[in-house]
Amino acid sequence: MEFLNRYQQIVDDAITKYTFKDKPTELYDPMNYIISHGGKRLRPIMVLMACDLFGGDLKEAIKPALAIEFFHNFTLIHDDIMDEAPLRRNKPTIHTLHGINVGILSGDGLMLKAYKFFEDLEPEIFKACIRIFTHTGLLLCEGQQYDINFETQENVTFDDYIRMITYKTGVLSASSFEIGSLIAKANFKDAKAIFNFGKHIGIAFQIMDDYLDVFGDQAQFGKKHAGDIYENKKTVLYLMAREHATDEERKELDYWYSKKTDNIDKVYNVEKIFRRTKVDEKALRLIEKHNEIGQSYLKKIDIPEEKKKPFIELANYLLRRES
């Protein structure tokens, strides 16, 4: 998609411009390391897209877009430490290369640098963006804690799971769009509509992440295959499997999810139950449902349909991804 490449280039150029040259290098080199791996730069692109949608000046949105990217990568560093993940985007994780202490510090450094990127905004917009940004960070921490709790919590409901992924993933996409819209001085109703569009696309994106963890191509996905099963994550696949499993299969799931082990038999047997209960098909249907809800909010925005097309394309692109 041409529009995506254009925004990506803007973000890449800005990241190159603001490469960390500070000292000590032992702190800043790991920060540059994770930022340089890039990924698709989706969240900063969302800031730029929303700013464009409402006729804002992209130059004013570039540094706040970087703030979102830095903050996102801060969460990834700490997430990898908590999950003991060896790979991120097919590269060794920071704590694997430099140890946990450097991982914690470099993550903290990225978060604090992110705040500095809002400083050029005019006072009222600055206050609004910082309020959203800080609230988003707190919700993300709450979502992460719920995720950790679920590993040992016996009864996790589907609603619990949706709340957790909304906080962990949905609100960051939602806030990225909302911050871009505020920089462009969109009205409250439109800013909330684009927020809700982002939230449901973010939920769908996370369900796709859970799906790809088990059913995706590991080489393309860039993470350890079935890491969620190893970690006893109560993902949508697990919850749907429990709902549709036989009593015997539920007992087997309970047995394997009571052990935190790298035993390949665990993955093999859990995957077998996932396939028998057809949770892969059910997860894909749920992804489509949240995509539709998200796009219903996009329709509420009083702007020519032509200008909304990139948002529909982005949502469809994200939810067809293989990695």
Side-chain angles (χ1 to χ4, degrees):
M1 289 182 291
E2 212 172 292
F3 77 91
L4 205 57
N5 294 335
R6 181 172 70 88
Y7 289 123
Q8 220 163 26
Q9 192 59 57
I10 292 169
V11 175
D12 286 344
D13 290 347
I15 283 170
T16 301
K17 180 179 177 181
Y18 293 104
T19 297
F20 300 117
K21 299 180 177 68
D22 315 67
K23 292 184 179 178
T25 54
E26 292 81 2
L27 172 66
Y28 289 102
D29 283 353
M31 290 160 65
N32 286 327
Y33 171 79
I34 191 165
I35 293 290
S36 70
H37 292 163
K40 295 182 177 69
R41 314 283 194 206
L42 295 173
R43 290 150 194 90
I45 284 171
M46 289 170 182
V47 177
L48 299 180
M49 285 180 68
C51 184
D52 242 356
L53 179 68
F54 296 108
D57 183 351
L58 277 193
K59 288 176 188 169
E60 291 178 18
I62 288 170
K63 286 172 82 171
L66 284 193
I68 295 289
E69 180 70 353
F70 286 8
F71 177 81
H72 175 58
N73 280 277
F74 141 69
T75 68
L76 298 183
I77 295 172
H78 284 198
D79 204 30
D80 288 340
I81 292 169
M82 287 183 246
D83 289 345
E84 299 175 10
L87 291 177
R88 167 70 63 182
R89 299 164 182 153
N90 270 328
K91 304 277 188 183
T93 47
I94 284 178
H95 70 276
T96 304
L97 291 172
H98 302 285
I100 287 173
N101 290 346
V102 170
I104 292 168
L105 279 176
S106 58
D108 292 346
L110 274 176
M111 181 188 68
L112 294 166
K113 287 283 190 181
Y115 270 94
K116 289 184 68 61
F117 275 117
F118 288 104
E119 290 175 352
D120 292 347
L121 295 173
E122 58 186 74
E124 285 307 308
I125 294 174
F126 170 81
K127 280 198 300 188
C129 289
I130 287 294
R131 185 172 63 248
I132 292 163
F133 188 66
T134 303
H135 184 58
T136 298
L138 287 169
L139 287 179
L140 201 142
C141 290
E142 290 174 20
Q144 180 72 353
Q145 186 61 57
Y146 281 128
D147 197 19
I148 292 166
N149 292 354
F150 291 175
E151 290 175 29
T152 52
Q153 189 176 320
E154 282 189 26
N155 297 312
V156 176
T157 68
F158 183 75
D159 286 345
D160 291 336
Y161 166 82
I162 292 295
R163 176 180 61 181
M164 182 272 288
I165 65 168
T166 300
Y167 288 6
K168 249 192 96 166
T169 305
V171 292
L172 189 55
S173 299
S175 297
S176 299
F177 282 128
E178 188 175 18
I179 284 170
S181 71
L182 290 177
I183 292 167
K185 298 183 172 67
N187 65 49
F188 179 81
K189 181 177 75 69
D190 286 345
K192 280 303 161 195
I194 202 72
F195 174 92
N196 282 312
F197 167 76
K199 182 176 80 172
H200 285 281
I201 297 307
I203 290 169
F205 186 83
Q206 183 57 52
I207 296 169
M208 179 63 88
D209 215 54
D210 292 352
Y211 169 88
L212 290 171
D213 181 76
V214 175
F215 297 108
D217 181 324
Q218 185 192 358
Q220 288 183 306
F221 195 39
K223 294 182 187 176
K224 178 180 178 180
H225 172 68
D228 290 341
I229 295 174
Y230 284 115
E231 294 292 324
N232 296 333
K233 300 269 187 190
K234 305 289 199 310
T235 67
V236 70
L237 303 180
Y238 166 86
L239 293 171
M240 287 177 165
R242 273 194 67 81
E243 184 185 347
H244 296 280
T246 63
D247 288 343
E248 192 178 325
E249 286 169 337
R250 267 192 290 273
K251 281 178 190 168
E252 191 175 351
L253 281 172
D254 289 342
Y255 169 77
W256 288 117
Y257 275 74
S258 68
K259 301 172 179 296
K260 201 164 185 179
T261 171
D262 271 4
N263 186 336
I264 193 67
D265 289 340
K266 174 180 179 176
V267 173
Y268 174 74
N269 284 290
V270 170
E271 276 192 34
K272 210 160 61 171
I273 294 170
F274 283 179
R275 291 183 192 280
R276 279 205 301 264
T277 52
K278 297 185 176 177
V279 296
D280 51 340
E281 296 171 19
K282 293 177 175 67
L284 290 173
R285 283 200 293 273
L286 189 61
I287 288 163
E288 189 51 42
K289 175 190 164 187
H290 280 281
N291 186 16
E292 287 170 5
I293 295 170
Q295 296 199 28
S296 73
Y297 280 104
L298 191 63
K299 287 174 185 169
K300 294 178 182 180
I301 298 172
D302 188 20
I303 272 177
E305 294 304 308
E306 192 64 30
K307 292 192 77 173
K308 298 178 190 176
K309 276 187 181 174
F311 292 79
I312 296 166
E313 285 180 42
L314 176 67
N316 293 336
Y317 162 73
L318 293 178
L319 305 179
R320 281 197 307 265
R321 70 198 175 114
E322 294 178 326
S323 62

